[in-house]
Amino acid sequence: MLDCQKDLFSLEEGQHYLNCAYTAPLAKSVAEAGIAELHKKSNPFQIGKADFFDPLEELRGKFARLINCDDSSRIAVVPSASYGIAQVCKNISLKPRQNVVLVENQFPSNYYSWKALTDRYMAGLRVVGPEWFDEARGKDWNQRLLNSIDQYTAVVAIGNIHWADGTLFDLKAIREKTEEVDAMLIIDGTQSVGALPFDVKEIQPDALICAAYKWLLGPYGFGLAYFGPYFDMGEPIEENWMNRKDSDKFENLAFESEYRPGAQRYNVGQQSNFIYVKMMNAAMDLLLDWTPEGIQTYCRNLVGPAVAELSAMGCAIEPEAYRANHLFGVRLPSNIDPVSLGKHLKANNVHVSMRNGSVRISPHVYNDAADIEQLLNCFRAASLGV
């Protein structure tokens, strides 16, 4: 059983940070790895040829283990989720009668490229949302999503969970439906991978894109992506020297037409970013030690009593079968004024987010019962009109 890991972070005493879905705090080991590389860059004679390649290979291997992928060459470095999604869209063509399926209020970085793609080919964009909020909302939303996939569907592009309220989408069932109609499945894992188990072998997505600064506990401006066999011969957004065969032969660099294997053609330029790569390696060590299963169990045990009490107050929360434990939304009843609640949260140093009409709560292993109790105190006060 995973214990609270607060000692591994540098969060200020008295701050109740339940907002990892906004941005994760850096663990001490992650920050130290970055600082060490900053000092190294101050003396660049310490940077050798191996520094351009070996830490990247290590990082690809760790991320592959995290998502249960046997082939680490399928892992590419991207600077952001939008870059990864744009890379995917660059290699997809559509027919006018085809459609791309998204979910309602999907995060904009996983919308704009699809809107541009469907506009370019005069194809359809199907945005599927829930009809209501009650105990059957998540189940109904999943069914509506499955029903929207038909013989004209070319792509389903979604997150494992909804970024605003943690609604869980059944990727296994969706993958089965997309296979029936020969459609692609593109996953934005930014709000799930690292804290929620994800198995490439089970889901078999065509691509999985993850920004690193949330649940991968990494720096801002860095990300990792998995590209499946469909993209093996694709065209990258940019051409950079490191993505080519024999680019590690500094003494005899030449123009090379052949790419490195797997998804290496999709690596962003300056992928060796010494500071960020070392930070990500340190973050991956933590995640692989804790495991996404362990993080989910820890968060479930932590938030369980709070979910019960908030529900008793009249708050609407998705049933556990259709929501994540590391990120979930709370919709307020009429007797809790959101402005009043916001004031109580701010006054008591409780950090959450308001997203799409929900109070988004997103704990991690650095949170403890005291954080949850302070959160509940704010709801109690607001419900009493104090």
Side-chain angles (χ1 to χ4, degrees):
M1 183 73 70
L2 189 60
D3 295 324
C4 181
Q5 304 293 309
K6 183 171 289 190
D7 288 348
L8 300 184
F9 292 80
S10 300
L11 287 163
E12 290 183 17
E13 192 69 29
Q15 300 293 326
H16 307 281
Y17 193 75
L18 295 160
N19 207 13
C20 192
Y22 174 61
T23 186
L26 291 178
K28 293 175 183 177
S29 60
V30 177
E32 289 164 1
I35 291 168
E37 288 303 302
L38 275 173
H39 288 306
K40 194 172 182 179
K41 186 66 168 66
S42 298
N43 290 280
F45 54 84
Q46 298 178 6
I47 300 173
K49 181 175 70 173
D51 291 303
F52 284 81
F53 298 94
D54 292 353
L56 277 171
E57 288 299 321
E58 182 183 355
L59 179 57
R60 276 193 286 268
K62 290 176 181 177
F63 185 68
R65 284 171 56 197
L66 189 71
I67 62 173
N68 196 27
C69 170
D70 290 335
D71 184 1
S72 63
S73 75
R74 294 209 169 275
I75 309 303
V77 172
V78 296
S80 64
S82 59
Y83 185 99
I85 298 297
Q87 184 68 81
V88 165
C89 289
K90 184 177 178 65
N91 288 281
I92 295 176
S93 59
L94 302 173
K95 298 175 182 178
R97 293 190 67 187
Q98 288 185 306
N99 63 73
V100 173
V101 175
L102 310 178
V103 297
E104 189 174 83
N105 293 320
Q106 188 154 286
F107 194 76
S109 287
N110 197 17
Y111 169 83
Y112 293 130
S113 287
W114 299 112
K115 179 66 166 62
L117 182 70
T118 52
D119 286 351
R120 186 179 311 129
Y121 289 100
M122 295 181 290
L125 192 64
R126 291 184 177 174
V127 180
V128 182
E131 286 193 309
W132 55 76
F133 194 100
D134 63 10
E135 290 187 357
R137 174 181 176 272
K139 181 179 180 180
D140 176 71
W141 197 353
N142 271 269
Q143 189 58 55
R144 286 167 58 81
L145 186 57
L146 289 171
N147 293 344
S148 72
I149 303 168
D150 60 21
Q151 68 268 32
Y152 298 109
T153 300
V155 182
V156 177
I158 59 173
N160 197 164
I161 65 174
H162 197 281
W163 70 283
D165 60 20
T167 302
L168 189 64
F169 298 112
D170 187 348
L171 295 186
K172 189 173 181 180
I174 294 167
R175 173 77 281 188
E176 291 173 357
K177 186 67 178 288
T178 58
E179 287 179 339
E180 289 176 10
V181 299
D182 196 27
M184 301 180 70
L185 178 62
I186 310 298
I187 305 298
D188 178 359
T190 299
Q191 290 288 20
S192 57
V193 172
L196 186 70
F198 186 93
D199 191 327
V200 161
K201 293 179 185 176
E202 179 182 33
I203 304 302
Q204 297 183 28
D206 293 284
L208 169 70
I209 315 296
C210 303
Y213 68 101
K214 298 179 187 287
W215 303 98
L216 292 179
L217 305 182
Y220 192 75
F222 196 86
L224 294 160
Y226 161 88
F227 290 92
Y230 173 90
F231 295 96
D232 282 352
M233 302 305 292
E235 182 181 354
I237 287 177
E238 58 177 294
E239 303 288 354
N240 73 78
W241 66 278
M242 281 191 67
N243 293 350
R244 301 289 176 151
K245 179 183 176 183
D246 295 332
S247 56
D248 56 335
K249 297 179 179 178
F250 284 14
E251 299 81 6
N252 191 31
L253 281 178
F255 297 128
E256 173 60 61
S257 60
E258 187 176 343
Y259 290 102
R260 283 177 170 267
Q264 301 312 291
R265 67 185 62 205
Y266 300 122
N267 283 320
V268 67
Q270 300 186 14
Q271 64 200 259
S272 297
N273 190 322
F274 311 114
I275 298 168
Y276 283 3
V277 170
K278 286 295 184 68
M279 293 173 74
M280 281 307 311
N281 269 312
M284 284 293 165
D285 288 340
L286 294 174
L287 295 176
L288 289 170
D289 181 37
W290 298 334
T291 75
E293 293 84 356
I295 294 168
Q296 277 297 296
T297 299
Y298 182 86
C299 291
R300 179 184 298 112
N301 293 337
L302 183 67
V303 304
V307 168
E309 181 170 343
L310 291 172
S311 298
M313 288 183 191
C315 297
I317 302 173
E318 200 74 61
E320 188 176 350
Y322 287 96
R323 66 164 168 82
N325 290 289
H326 70 286
L327 189 168
F328 61 97
V330 177
R331 285 177 169 78
L332 303 178
S334 59
N335 66 310
I336 298 182
D337 175 39
V339 175
S340 173
L341 176 62
K343 290 179 179 178
H344 285 290
L345 292 168
K346 184 176 181 179
N348 289 278
N349 300 321
V350 178
H351 304 274
V352 295
S353 291
M354 292 295 299
R355 297 291 185 269
N356 292 357
S358 293
V359 180
R360 188 181 67 184
I361 301 168
S362 50
H364 210 297
V365 297
Y366 45 74
N367 292 119
D368 58 19
D371 297 319
I372 300 300
E373 183 63 18
Q374 196 72 343
L375 171 74
L376 287 173
N377 284 336
C378 295
F379 273 88
R380 291 165 185 152
S383 68
L384 295 172
V386 177

